[in-house]
Amino acid sequence: MTIKIAVIPGDGIGPEVTNEALKVLEAVAGVCDFKYELTNFDFGGERYLRTGEVLPDSAIEELKRFDVIYLGAIGHPDVQPGILEKGILLKIRFELDQYINLRPIKLYPNVYTPLRDKGPEHIDLVIVRENTEGLYLGSGGNIRKGTSQEVAIQEMVNTRFGVERCIRYAFELTSERNKDKKLTLCDKANVLTFAHGLWSRAFEEVGKEYSDIKQDHAYVDATTMWMVKNPEWFDVIVTCNMFGDIIADLGAMIQGGMGIAASGNLNPGPDGVSMFEPIHGSAPKYKGQNKINPLAAIGAMAMLLKDEDQMEASRRIENAITRALSERHIKDLSAGGDLSTTQIGDLIARLAVENKN
Ligand code: IPM
Ligand code: MN
């Protein structure tokens, strides 16, 4: 079987980090003996500025025919905020019903965390963020816009169906992960009593089917506190779209920053098309300089391969990243660190092929 991958390199440093992820893909495909086919799409700021087109509906139909999507980074300094985010990223998430946003938060050896006294043994959790509803749905509007009487309404939409499938996914993941077997619901049910009342009830009801999973609850404000103070308390966290967005960036910081944080937008259904991306942005000021560390993009490729059931290939990449850091081949994850973008790609590709632990 050939894995059909749609590639959207995007803007800024997106194409550079994508190249390295594809380099690593080619290397592991060679040793793991699977085939793939890449189709490139040039959606992003450049194309928008050139043609006025963001992501046409025909492209959505086309993307649905792939097995999976790989995305570099979207965002352009000359494009007003919101256009590309909503027009490309959120449109794909919604139209392809990628209802899970998966954010593994794992501190690799020798990676700097701002949390004093915490190491890889403390920071290893996964955030399961609902990805199609909540405050992101775009329900609402402005009345008397631009006047002193302006009204702005942005509704938080939660459906039992949407909430339940997300919670169910999180329970399954907690079970499969088999780490602490603990799932924490992060919400604000003490204030958002309607919306998060629904989350609490769904969590409790679905939870009855998972008696072997410890079921915990934390309000979102307290969650940010515990993630800093005691990240080891968390195994899997399930939360709504908006809170997931916020706590995932906190998570990225405690795992060493944007240079290492990868994510997946999943449609777990049998014919679902998921999308994988590094969580960093397009960092336009580093564009074309071969300075950005591509580990987050490479990590997203490892996630993609796992999703496509290429476990061995995925593990090889994960092990290569771990080894590159633990053996200090890479000492600095920041832009302009000790190795260039292409050198890091070469290194990970080589270590993934060698596959020594
Ligand atoms: C993310 C990003 C997006 C989000 C933006 C770019 C729309 O911050 O993937 O977390 O808010 O979901
Ligand atoms: Mn975000």
Side-chain angles (χ1 to χ4, degrees), residues 93 101 103 129 136 241-242 244-246 248-249 258 279:
R93 288 178 185 173
N101 191 311
R103 299 272 168 109
R129 163 186 173 190
Y136 272 67
N241 210 338
M242 186 76 256
D245 180 47
I246 298 165
D249 275 20
M258 290 294 168
I279 86 167

